[in-house]
Amino acid sequence: DAGVTQSPTHLIKTRGQQVTLRCSPKSGHDTVSWYQQALGQGPQFIFQYYEEEERQRGNFPDRFSGHQFPNYSSELNVNALLLGDSALYLCASSLGGTGRNSPLHFGNGTRLTVT
Amino acid sequence: AQSVTQLGSHVSVSEGALVLLRCNYSSSVPPYLFWYVQYPNQGLQLLLKYTSAATLVKGINGFEAEFKKSETSFHLTKPSAHMSDAAEYFCAVSVKGGSTLGRLYFGRGTQLTVWP
């Protein structure tokens, strides 16, 4: 049973560039959430996708956008990268969108470094 | 608004000693509560969760936590620490119902060190 998989595992970008991170949910899950974990901090909620639509959004600027595909996989896009965007980006999958409080299963994350 | 406070960013114990990691939450209604563990260069693994059933919740790896509504606390304990318990631990809350169901609010984490 494949868990949540994220790619790439590490990424180095320059300020002003754009980046795309990818996530495949755990088998059987249909909801994907993204979290940003800065060094020494707890994860912070970016947004959640269900039925290919953004259902919830945290306090992140519009430079952060996402997409969910019909196979439930998801992408996180960040435009105009800032040094402060350097963090571990975690993808979590669950079942049922906001209608159910099913447990989140996390991937191992993508470590983004912005120089 | 939901918030989680983890008292103590670092906790050190000897192998075999009691582990106590503290978590207090602020929520307008009793929330769902979770403890996650994060090993280096890995994602988060669910240790246990409270969803309004028994107030004492048992999780994996010998951990347990007790929900105390009067103290708005959900402290994590383990009677006897093992070297393999060394990791970062996060307490999180999720609101019951409403448009933010399923969204987790995390504390800043507690790094547990276990000495031989």
Side-chain angles (χ1 to χ4, degrees), chain B residues 34-65:
Chain B
F34 305 81
W35 275 99
Y36 282 85
V37 61
Q38 186 176 36
Y39 297 100
N41 302 314
Q42 293 189 23
L44 303 175
Q45 180 183 6
L46 180 65
L47 277 178
L48 49 81
K49 61 179 180 179
Y50 167 75
T51 57
S52 76
T55 57
L56 182 62
V57 181
K58 294 188 183 298
I60 62 172
N61 301 338
F63 285 94
E64 62 183 34

Side-chain angles (χ1 to χ4, degrees), chain A residues 35 37 40-43 45 48 56-58 88 90 98-101 103-104 106-108, chain B residues 32 34 36 38 41-44 46 49 90 94 98-104 106-108:
Chain A
Y35 287 79
Q37 185 179 13
Q41 304 290 323
F45 177 77
Q48 179 193 72
Q56 298 185 56
R57 189 178 183 91
L88 180 67
L90 295 166
T98 58
R100 295 175 54 175
N101 193 38
L104 297 185
F106 284 84
N108 286 338
Chain B
Y32 295 121
F34 305 81
Y36 282 85
Q38 186 176 36
N41 302 314
Q42 293 189 23
L44 303 175
L46 180 65
K49 61 179 180 179
F90 292 94
S94 176
S99 63
T100 62
L101 181 65
R103 170 180 175 175
L104 291 179
F106 285 89
R108 297 186 64 167

Side-chain angles (χ1 to χ4, degrees), chain A residues 31-50:
Chain A
T31 305
V32 173
S33 301
W34 288 91
Y35 287 79
Q36 180 195 64
Q37 185 179 13
L39 197 63
Q41 304 290 323
Q44 290 200 342
F45 177 77
I46 303 175
F47 42 53
Q48 179 193 72
Y49 277 84
Y50 174 64

Side-chain angles (χ1 to χ4, degrees), chain B residues 52-104:
Chain B
S52 76
T55 57
L56 182 62
V57 181
K58 294 188 183 298
I60 62 172
N61 301 338
F63 285 94
E64 62 183 34
E66 185 173 8
F67 171 66
K68 292 186 176 180
K69 183 178 178 181
S70 60
E71 299 177 8
T72 60
S73 68
F74 191 57
H75 301 332
L76 182 71
T77 60
K78 182 174 180 178
S80 177
H82 192 273
M83 296 292 290
S84 61
D85 295 327
E88 183 121 32
Y89 292 80
F90 292 94
C91 181
V93 303
S94 176
V95 177
K96 291 180 182 179
S99 63
T100 62
L101 181 65
R103 170 180 175 175
L104 291 179

Side-chain angles (χ1 to χ4, degrees), chain A residues 9-78:
Chain A
T9 55
H10 294 81
L11 204 52
I12 300 175
K13 290 287 188 178
T14 303
R15 275 179 301 175
Q17 286 188 317
Q18 179 265 344
V19 68
T20 298
L21 311 181
R22 296 176 174 82
C23 173
S24 292
K26 177 181 169 65
S27 178
H29 284 182
D30 58 10
T31 305
V32 173
S33 301
W34 288 91
Y35 287 79
Q36 180 195 64
Q37 185 179 13
L39 197 63
Q41 304 290 323
Q44 290 200 342
F45 177 77
I46 303 175
F47 42 53
Q48 179 193 72
Y49 277 84
Y50 174 64
E51 294 184 330
E52 302 179 48
E53 290 188 10
E54 182 183 293
R55 299 293 179 166
Q56 298 185 56
R57 189 178 183 91
N59 189 25
F60 279 81
D62 292 344
R63 297 187 298 108
F64 289 76
S65 63
H67 188 77
Q68 185 179 35
F69 299 93
N71 66 353
Y72 308 122
S73 67
S74 176
E75 289 182 349
L76 164 65
N77 300 292
V78 186

